[in-house]
Amino acid sequence: MIYQTPNVEELKARASNIVEGTPGAYTLAMFFADFPQFKKSGTDAGFIPDAVINTFIAMANNTVSVERWGEAWRFACGLFVAHYATMYLRQNKGNDTGSATASQAADSGALIGIVSSASLGDASVSYDTSTATQATANWGQWNLTTYGQQYASLARLHVLGGSYII
């Protein structure tokens, strides 16, 4: 039996656990089928403008590798899109016509978390997200929604296992 030694580039590719892939084919119809809460009841329309939701779908198709995620690919794409859609809707707060003031527009981007304390006199509220984000502490913005947390948790299983870069 003759043993051939792999070349250095092949060894690096195996060791790095980096899987190259082609863009996916996730669609708006798939998203609405799997996450109907983002679709307006009784219509084919969603709560997010087509240009925006299609951008999120394109991002998912270019980011979530079919080769890496396998059978979980469709669900991962849905979580990816739902995460960005949720953040968009939080900023929009159901306002289809725009903000009345610059202050309202600025407030639409405010970061919120779990209420950790509240006061009635002079109305004070404090938020804490640390208990909900410990497992994905280094995943940044993915901790801002439950969809993002689910995506990050699944990514730890599907994407990061065995990674090593030379």
Side-chain angles (χ1 to χ4, degrees):
M1 178 180 192
I2 298 174
Y3 176 75
Q4 276 190 319
T5 305
N7 67 36
V8 173
E9 294 304 315
E10 185 180 344
L11 287 172
K12 280 185 195 177
R14 286 186 200 167
S16 71
N17 198 25
I18 295 173
V19 176
E20 292 187 26
T22 55
Y26 193 72
T27 65
L28 183 59
M30 290 175 171
F31 179 66
F32 283 156
D34 298 340
F35 294 86
Q37 62 269 36
F38 290 96
K39 186 177 175 186
K40 290 181 182 177
S41 181
T43 71
D44 288 334
F47 293 106
I48 298 172
D50 288 345
V52 175
I53 195 73
N54 286 328
T55 298
F56 299 154
I57 289 169
M59 288 167 46
N61 280 321
N62 289 315
T63 303
V64 184
S65 166
V66 176
E67 290 84 358
R68 171 65 75 187
W69 286 83
E71 291 180 11
W73 172 80
R74 180 174 168 157
F75 185 57
C77 283
L79 289 172
F80 185 102
V81 174
H83 168 73
Y84 282 103
T86 299
M87 290 197 312
Y88 179 87
L89 290 171
R90 277 188 190 157
Q91 293 168 344
N92 193 37
K93 296 183 182 176
N95 183 351
D96 292 342
T97 60
S99 300
T101 66
S103 177
Q104 285 177 337
D107 287 346
S108 71
L111 181 62
I112 59 171
I114 299 168
V115 176
S116 62
S117 67
S119 302
L120 187 53
D122 291 330
S124 174
V125 178
S126 297
Y127 296 96
D128 177 23
T129 60
S130 63
T131 57
T133 61
Q134 285 177 340
T136 54
N138 295 324
W139 284 75
Q141 58 99 7
W142 294 103
N143 283 308
L144 297 177
T145 70
T146 56
Y147 301 111
Q149 289 174 333
Q150 244 184 312
Y151 178 81
S153 294
L154 287 173
R156 291 173 68 202
L157 296 173
H158 288 276
V159 180
L160 296 180
S163 291
Y164 181 74
I165 298 177
I166 297 175

